[in-house]
Amino acid sequence: MPVVIVENDTSQWEDQTGAVYHFPKRYSTWLVEGTEVIYYKGRIKDKGYASLRLSADPHYFGKARIGEIHADRNSTKGDLFALIENFTPFEEAVPSKIDGLYLETVPATRVKNYWRDGVRPISQADYDAILSHAKLMPPQTGQQKPKSEDDPLTFESANEGSKSSYFGTRYERRKDLRMQAIAIHGLDCKACGFDFEQAYGEHAKGFIHVHHEVPISNFGGEKAVNPATDLVTLCANCHAMVHRKKDITLSVEELKGMLRVRWVFES
Ligand SMILES: [Zn+2]
Ligand SMILES: [Zn+2]
C-alpha cells in the first residue's frame, strides 16, 4: 500500500529529504522496505522557510521508495530510520486540495484528526491521482551540496601547518550520505566507542564525523557509495588519526589495533 509521509519545515525528527526518514514505531506497519511514498508538507508556519518550499499551502512535493529500515539506537521508544531511495522531486507543488476536493480520501471516522498523522497509508487510486498532477524532475541521487558554515565536517585541520581539510572525500561531506550513515551506524565512534552526547550532553546531540573507507581496489575509481559498508561513524579524534598521515589512510580496524583507550558509556 502506498503511503504519504509528512516532512515539516522544523520538527523533532531527524529527516533529510530524499535520504532518511525518521519515524515512531507505530508507523512501522506502513513504512517497510519497498513501499512507494509521496512526500507532503503542511501549511507554512514560519515564513522563513518560504524559499525552501514549493508552496506555502499544504502540498505534495516528491515521490520515493522506502529502502532499508534501521533502529534509531539513541531512541528509548523504538523510533526507526528509513533510508529513502529514488527520490524524485516534483517540479511544482501538487496542492492537497484541487477544485475543493482532497486528493487523499479521508475516512469518515478520521475527518477531525486525519491530517495530524505524519504517515498516512493511501489507496493506489489516491497515489495515482496525486502523481497524475505531478511533473516529475529527474530522480535525485545526492546532488545536495554540503553546507559550508555549520557542517561539522568542513572545519579544517589547523595542526601541522596544513591548511587543507583532512576530511578527505566529498562523500564525507555529503549531507544525504551522512544522514544515512548515522541512521545505519549510530552516533557513537566505531573505533573507540566515544559518544558526543553522552560526554557533553545536549549541546553535542547529533554530532559525529562520517568517514569514507576507500577499499584499495576502488581507489581513484568512481563507484556508488554504500553507506552501510563504505561509510563509518568516527569521533573527531579517531577521524583525525585515520587521516593523520598524508599518504595513507588507516582502516578503522588498524586504528582499533592501536587504541589504548576505549570509552564505555552507561546508557
Ligand atoms: Zn573515536
Ligand atoms: Zn575520513
Side-chain angles (χ1 to χ4, degrees):
M1 186 178 277
V3 169
V4 168
I5 56 176
V6 177
E7 199 176 77
N8 292 313
D9 294 328
T10 55
S11 84
Q12 51 158 323
W13 300 98
E14 294 158 47
D15 298 325
Q16 172 69 28
T17 312
V20 172
Y21 193 72
H22 191 202
F23 61 97
K25 196 170 58 181
R26 67 176 182 280
Y27 293 138
S28 58
T29 332
W30 310 114
L31 293 182
V32 294
E33 189 164 359
T35 302
E36 296 292 336
V37 295
I38 291 182
Y39 271 101
Y40 171 94
K41 253 185 213 301
R43 190 176 309 284
I44 196 166
K45 292 201 178 100
D46 175 347
K47 294 233 164 64
Y49 289 93
S51 65
L52 301 170
R53 303 167 52 112
L54 296 177
S55 161
D57 294 321
H59 67 283
Y60 306 98
F61 64 93
K63 71 177 194 110
R65 191 173 50 231
I66 298 296
E68 284 174 28
I69 308 288
H70 293 270
D72 174 355
R73 298 157 198 230
N74 282 44
S75 166
T76 51
K77 289 175 288 182
D79 298 340
L80 298 154
F81 288 112
L83 303 192
I84 300 292
E85 296 175 344
N86 230 23
F87 176 59
T88 309
F90 298 165
E91 219 159 273
E92 287 161 24
V94 173
S96 61
K97 222 179 197 179
I98 292 181
D99 299 331
L101 290 173
Y102 289 118
L103 295 180
E104 279 174 69
T105 308
V106 180
T109 54
R110 299 288 324 276
V111 175
K112 284 245 169 68
N113 54 9
Y114 180 78
W115 300 97
R116 278 210 300 245
D117 286 355
V119 171
R120 306 191 291 259
I122 55 171
S123 67
Q124 188 65 41
D126 284 0
Y127 176 84
D128 294 340
I130 295 165
L131 287 189
S132 74
H133 294 283
K135 250 199 256 165
L136 303 180
M137 311 237 289
Q140 225 180 62
T141 43
Q143 287 116 341
Q144 291 103 316
K145 296 254 160 54
K147 282 198 242 159
S148 53
E149 293 301 321
D150 55 353
D151 185 333
L153 296 182
T154 58
F155 65 70
E156 292 182 349
S157 158
N159 63 337
E160 296 153 10
S162 156
K163 276 220 176 114
S164 64
S165 161
Y166 51 55
F167 305 114
T169 79
R170 61 199 167 91
Y171 302 118
E172 295 183 359
R173 298 151 176 257
R174 248 175 58 185
K175 186 113 195 251
D176 56 335
L177 289 174
R178 171 180 162 73
M179 297 295 284
Q180 293 187 331
I182 290 170
I184 295 166
H185 302 290
L187 283 161
D188 54 326
C189 175
K190 288 299 164 297
C192 76
F194 191 82
D195 180 308
F196 283 90
E197 189 182 359
Q198 302 237 30
Y200 299 104
E202 177 69 20
H203 180 68
K205 191 173 158 64
F207 188 90
I208 191 71
H209 284 186
V210 169
H211 170 63
H212 179 227
E213 292 211 90
V214 186
I216 301 299
S217 57
N218 292 316
F219 205 81
E222 278 289 308
K223 91 185 217 314
V225 172
N226 179 342
T229 53
D230 304 342
L231 299 177
V232 65
T233 48
L234 293 178
C235 74
N237 281 347
C238 290
H239 198 195
M241 285 303 108
V242 297
H243 287 294
R244 175 147 198 245
K245 301 276 156 97
K246 223 177 178 172
D247 313 325
I248 53 152
T249 301
L250 298 179
S251 72
V252 173
E253 285 310 309
E254 285 171 319
L255 186 73
K256 278 167 86 173
M258 298 173 188
L259 254 177
R260 289 153 187 232
V261 177
R262 232 193 113 77
W263 298 87
V264 180
F265 290 94
E266 290 168 21
S267 57

